[in-house]
Amino acid sequence: MKIFFLICWRNLWRHKRRSLIVISSVAVGVFAIILAMGLINGIMVQMVDNTINTSLGHLSIQRKGFQGSVRLQYAFAPGEDIARALKASGVSIKGYAPRVKVKGMVRSSESSRGVLIVGIDPVKERSVSYLYTYTSKEEGSSFLDDPAANDILISKSMADRMELVPGDKLVLMVQNAKGEMSGTGMTVRGVFSTPVDAFDRYTVFTGIDRLRELTGTPGLVSEINAVLTDRNAAVGAKKKIGALISSPGIEVLTWQEMAPSLVSSIMIVDTMMYVSFFIIFITIIFSIANTLVMAIMERFHEIGVMKSIGTGPRWIFLMVLFESMNLGLLGLGAGIILGTTVTGILGATGIDLSVYSETMRTMGSGSVIYPAVRGFDIFMATVIVLFTTVSAAVFPARKAARIEPVEALTYI
């Protein structure tokens, strides 16, 4: 066995020029996989975080049916069991806040548009979203401070389209709990700008008490949003909190359940990327196969001698297969080292894509992307490399195993 491995390594060294070409090809391919997946991971992570930090939170406690309709009829009065569940569940919660949500319309002298109106508690909201951070503190703009005030917070893009500035008036129209339309003048307290364009286009904020007054829902909430210290713990936290809530008709949803399209998009992108890389690596199969075939032709006489002294076809087949796997593993190791190093550096410094800021906002990610490598990406790169190198070696290995000793010994 020791002699077998020595022969394999000697053959790789004898054809080091061709071996280096194959190793380099594999290394570049693996480097491209890790770097591209790191960039995609960075974008996806920021898309998820931005969505959570603007509208979802990690968990939402709401009445069954609200998620699909956003109607006042699903508003509920939070009982003591909900507060007790949030505190006694043993889940690490950073904060939670009530919200009232209702569809309505805002109108200025220039235009009008349909919006989602969100009533918030200005103090508690800071613990579950970045809305305060995203709110401009310049040119008279400021965050809400009184849940009962006649103030409204709109996005910068909406303010530009409706030609409004902080201090201006607009009309807020909403259907109350009785089904009647009511309208009132509101003062634009401030403007905000988030990394999520779709959120900015259709969402406005006002004080929760003021919205309750307008909709005729005193003491009621549409949902209670909670933020955990670890978003990956959302599923476990849902089970623990849900088990302690006794109010009928109340459910706990995770951010994955509230944004299924986002989760599906991430899965689709991951699948497409891996399929694309697999297709790219098919081209490397021909490079490896060509190298091995040429090496076999140069060692035609040598292989004949090996078979003449009793080396079986199976060992010849395994020898070529082993050489191919060594080429792939060496390239894999070099690619992983190079890819993780470069991705780690870019993950610390970030990639500034401000020139594509509008496109990035449409996607819901920030203008600066921080690539990140997952263990699963390295695992998939290893699987792809091993599959391609073994596949590339099958034909040359079978060809070498079928060499006839007499023909090889007389080969010139």
Side-chain angles (χ1 to χ4, degrees):
M1 183 64 71
K2 183 177 180 180
I3 295 175
F4 171 79
F5 288 120
L6 288 174
I7 292 174
C8 293
W9 282 106
R10 187 203 62 175
N11 291 333
L12 290 175
W13 177 253
R14 283 174 56 190
H15 305 90
K16 54 182 177 292
R17 184 173 177 276
R18 291 196 185 97
S19 297
L20 286 173
I21 293 175
V22 174
I23 292 171
S24 300
S25 300
V26 174
V28 170
V30 173
F31 168 74
I33 287 180
I34 293 176
L35 184 61
M37 286 309 301
L39 182 61
I40 295 297
N41 291 339
I43 293 175
M44 292 303 175
V45 167
Q46 288 176 227
M47 285 175 59
V48 171
D49 286 344
N50 290 336
T51 302
I52 288 173
N53 294 332
T54 54
S55 59
L56 298 183
H58 294 137
L59 296 174
S60 175
I61 301 173
Q62 54 187 246
R63 188 179 294 280
K64 292 179 180 178
F66 173 76
Q67 183 63 28
S69 64
V70 193
R71 294 180 180 177
L72 286 175
Q73 69 187 70
Y74 293 103
F76 65 97
E80 289 296 326
D81 61 320
I82 295 178
R84 187 166 52 250
L86 289 169
K87 294 177 180 178
S89 62
V91 176
S92 183
I93 298 177
K94 291 176 63 178
Y96 59 91
R99 290 175 179 171
V100 173
K101 290 183 177 179
V102 62
K103 296 176 183 177
M105 179 178 292
V106 290
R107 178 181 297 170
S108 70
S109 59
E110 298 299 327
S111 64
S112 62
R113 64 188 305 136
V115 294
L116 175 65
I117 308 165
V118 184
I120 61 173
D121 182 315
V123 176
K124 293 182 178 179
E125 185 66 23
R126 298 189 191 190
S127 65
V128 299
S129 76
Y130 286 1
L131 184 61
Y132 175 80
T133 304
Y134 293 141
T135 300
S136 173
K137 309 301 186 298
E138 301 175 354
E139 300 178 356
S141 172
S142 63
F143 191 63
L144 302 173
D145 59 3
D146 184 354
N150 209 43
D151 295 332
I152 193 169
L153 205 63
I154 65 176
S155 70
K156 186 177 185 305
S157 59
M158 188 182 297
D160 292 341
R161 290 187 179 91
M162 301 183 73
E163 299 185 12
L164 295 169
V165 296
D168 286 350
K169 299 285 187 179
L170 59 75
V171 176
L172 179 68
M173 300 187 69
V174 63
Q175 189 176 40
N176 61 27
K178 297 179 181 180
E180 302 169 345
M181 290 298 297
S182 61
T184 185
M186 304 284 281
T187 301
V188 178
R189 180 63 182 267
V191 295
F192 62 88
S193 180
T194 76
V196 185
D197 182 63
F199 180 83
D200 286 7
R201 285 176 180 269
Y202 303 107
T203 311
V204 299
F205 294 87
T206 188
I208 189 169
D209 292 339
R210 183 67 179 112
L211 188 56
R212 283 168 172 167
E213 180 184 353
L214 289 172
T215 57
T217 55
L220 302 185
V221 300
S222 299
E223 61 179 352
I224 298 175
N225 292 81
V227 171
L228 312 176
T229 55
D230 179 12
R231 67 180 171 90
N232 294 320
V235 175
K238 169 189 173 176
K239 295 179 181 178
K240 293 179 180 179
I241 294 174
L244 297 174
I245 295 177
S246 57
S247 299
I250 302 300
E251 64 179 351
V252 182
L253 299 179
T254 65
W255 66 268
Q256 295 97 326
E257 293 169 323
M258 291 185 284
S261 59
L262 179 60
V263 176
S264 298
S265 298
I266 293 173
M267 294 177 64
I268 291 172
V269 169
D270 279 350
T271 302
M272 290 178 62
M273 288 296 292
Y274 288 129
V275 170
S276 299
F277 289 133
F278 181 77
I279 293 173
I280 292 172
F281 259 80
I282 289 178
T283 60
I284 298 179
I285 289 178
F286 297 100
S287 173
I288 297 174
N290 179 64
T291 299
L292 293 176
V293 169
M294 293 301 295
I296 289 169
M297 296 305 296
E298 292 179 1
R299 293 154 48 200
F300 202 77
H301 185 81
E302 177 186 324
I303 293 173
V305 172
M306 291 175 65
K307 297 194 75 173
S308 297
I309 61 176
T311 305
R314 183 168 66 92
W315 286 102
I316 300 295
F317 181 89
L318 290 176
M319 179 182 70
V320 177
L321 203 64
F322 180 77
E323 292 175 10
S324 176
M325 290 184 65
N326 276 317
L327 293 174
L329 289 173
L330 288 172
L332 175 67
I336 289 176
I337 293 173
L338 183 61
T340 52
T341 301
V342 173
T343 305
I345 294 172
L346 293 176
T349 61
I351 303 175
D352 190 353
L353 299 177
S354 299
V355 67
Y356 306 109
S357 59
E358 289 304 315
T359 301
M360 303 306 290
R361 289 191 73 247
T362 300
M363 294 172 59
S365 62
S367 298
V368 179
I369 305 300
Y370 297 90
V373 179
R374 299 178 302 181
F376 185 73
D377 297 330
I378 295 177
F379 170 75
M380 287 302 299
T382 303
V383 170
I384 291 174
V385 169
L386 291 179
F387 179 82
T388 52
T389 52
V390 171
S391 299
V394 170
F395 173 74
R398 291 183 63 185
K399 184 177 180 66
R402 292 177 178 178
I403 291 176
E404 294 294 335
V406 176
E407 180 185 357
L409 292 174
T410 58
Y411 180 76
I412 299 177

